[in-house]
Amino acid sequence: MRRNRDRTGWPAPRAGQLTDNDNPYRLPSNAPGYHFHAHLTGRWEETPAARHHHDPRAAATHHALETARAVSGLYPLTEHQAAQAHINSRLGASHDLADAPVRLLWARVQLTAESSDIEAVVCLQRRTHDNALTEQTNRQRQYQAEELHRALSTTPTLALAYWLIQQPQAADQDTIEALGQMTREITTYAPHTAWVQVAHLLQTFVQDLDMPARVNLVDSLAQIFTRYDQPELADRLHALGLQIQSANGHLPDSAPGGPGLGA
C-alpha cells in the first residue's frame, strides 16, 4: 500500500534581498584595466525543489553580476549611464537560475566611475582617434605615391609637370633640362614603355627625310594598318599625311615642286 509523503516537515521557501554593501563590485569596461563600480540591489526567492541551495542569495547575486559584466564590457567609462540602463533592462524581469532552485525576481545596478579613470579613458580615446586618422592619412599618401609612380612609369613626362606643381619656385632652365634627362632615362629603361622608344626612333628617322619620302612612308604604314584589318587607322594615317603635306607648303592634289609651291 502506497504511503503519502508528509509534507508538513518541509521548510518554507526562503526569500530575501540583494542588499547593497559598502564595497562596490568591479565591472569591466571596454578599456582593459579600467572598471566601473557597481552597487547592486534586488530581490530573490527559492523555487520548489527536493534539495535547497545552501546560499540562494549568493546564487542570485552571482547571476546578476554575470549579466551585468557581459554588458558593461561593451561600454567605455564615459558612457556609464548608458551601460547602467542596458544592464537594468536585462535585470528588471524575473529569471529562474538554471543551476540552482532560485528565482531572481528583479535586480538593479548603479554604476559609477572614478573621475581620474574617466579622464584617462578620454585621453586614450583621443589618442586612438588620432592614431586612426594618422594611419588613414598614411594609407592615402601611400596610395597617391603608388598612383604617381604608375603614372610616371607609363608617361615619364608627367614628372616635369608634377615637379613644377609642387616646386614652382625651382622652375629654372637647369631644372627643366635635368628633368628632361630624367624622363628620357626612365623611358629608356622601363620595359613597358618600349613603344615610346619606337615612336622616338620613328621621329628620328623621319626628321631627316624629304617630303616625298615622308609621304611614301605614310602610305606604306597605311598599307600595313589595312593588312592587319585596321582600315580606320589607315584612313586616319592618310589624313595625317595630308596635314603633313599642307603644313610643309604642299597641296594635297599637287606633287612636290609643282604649282603648290607657287611656281
Side-chain angles (χ1 to χ4, degrees):
M1 183 176 184
R2 186 175 180 180
R3 301 177 57 184
N4 293 327
R5 183 186 298 269
D6 184 7
R7 300 177 180 269
T8 59
W10 285 15
R14 291 171 292 178
Q17 296 183 354
L18 301 179
T19 56
D20 196 7
N21 52 41
D22 295 333
N23 297 319
Y25 302 100
R26 285 160 52 94
L27 295 180
S29 68
N30 69 343
Y34 295 95
H35 297 80
F36 296 102
H37 301 300
H39 297 269
L40 178 65
T41 56
R43 289 190 59 84
W44 58 270
E45 68 179 9
E46 287 184 315
T47 56
R51 295 183 179 180
H52 293 289
H53 194 280
H54 176 69
D55 193 346
R57 179 177 178 274
T61 300
H62 173 73
H63 170 77
L65 291 177
E66 287 299 303
T67 302
R69 184 173 290 108
V71 174
S72 66
L74 304 176
Y75 290 86
L77 290 185
T78 53
E79 299 182 13
H80 62 278
Q81 293 180 344
Q84 177 178 297
H86 191 171
I87 293 171
N88 291 334
S89 68
R90 293 191 175 184
L91 296 178
S94 62
H95 178 79
D96 290 346
L97 277 60
D99 54 353
V102 179
R103 177 180 295 119
L104 180 64
L105 297 176
W106 63 269
R108 184 179 185 278
V109 167
Q110 182 179 1
L111 294 183
T112 59
E114 297 290 342
S115 58
S116 58
D117 289 345
I118 293 179
E119 293 176 0
V121 168
V122 170
C123 293
L124 178 62
Q125 290 175 332
R126 186 178 295 112
R127 287 197 301 270
T128 302
H129 177 71
D130 292 343
N131 290 339
L133 288 180
T134 301
E135 183 178 355
Q136 180 180 1
T137 301
N138 291 339
R139 287 198 302 267
Q140 184 177 2
R141 289 177 177 174
Q142 181 179 357
Y143 173 78
Q144 291 175 343
E146 292 174 352
E147 287 295 312
L148 178 62
H149 172 73
R150 284 191 288 268
L152 295 180
S153 298
T154 305
T155 310
T157 51
L158 283 178
L160 177 58
Y162 181 78
W163 176 268
L164 294 179
I165 291 174
Q166 299 296 325
Q167 302 290 337
Q169 72 279 4
D172 55 14
Q173 187 62 33
D174 293 339
T175 302
I176 294 177
E177 291 179 358
L179 287 175
Q181 179 63 27
M182 181 185 70
T183 56
R184 286 191 294 272
E185 293 178 357
I186 294 176
T187 303
T188 301
Y189 294 107
H192 55 282
T193 58
W195 283 106
V196 177
Q197 289 299 303
V198 173
H200 289 173
L201 291 175
L202 288 175
Q203 178 65 31
T204 303
F205 174 68
V206 170
Q207 67 184 5
D208 294 330
L209 298 179
D210 56 17
M211 181 53 59
R214 294 186 183 186
V215 172
N216 182 59
L217 177 61
V218 170
D219 290 339
S220 300
L221 290 175
Q223 293 176 7
I224 294 175
F225 288 173
T226 303
R227 190 182 309 160
Y228 283 94
D229 296 328
Q230 298 290 340
E232 294 182 358
L233 294 180
D235 293 340
R236 291 172 59 184
L237 191 58
H238 278 302
L240 289 174
L242 295 176
Q243 294 178 15
I244 293 174
Q245 295 181 60
S246 299
N248 286 272
H250 300 284
L251 296 177
D253 56 351
S254 61
L261 294 176

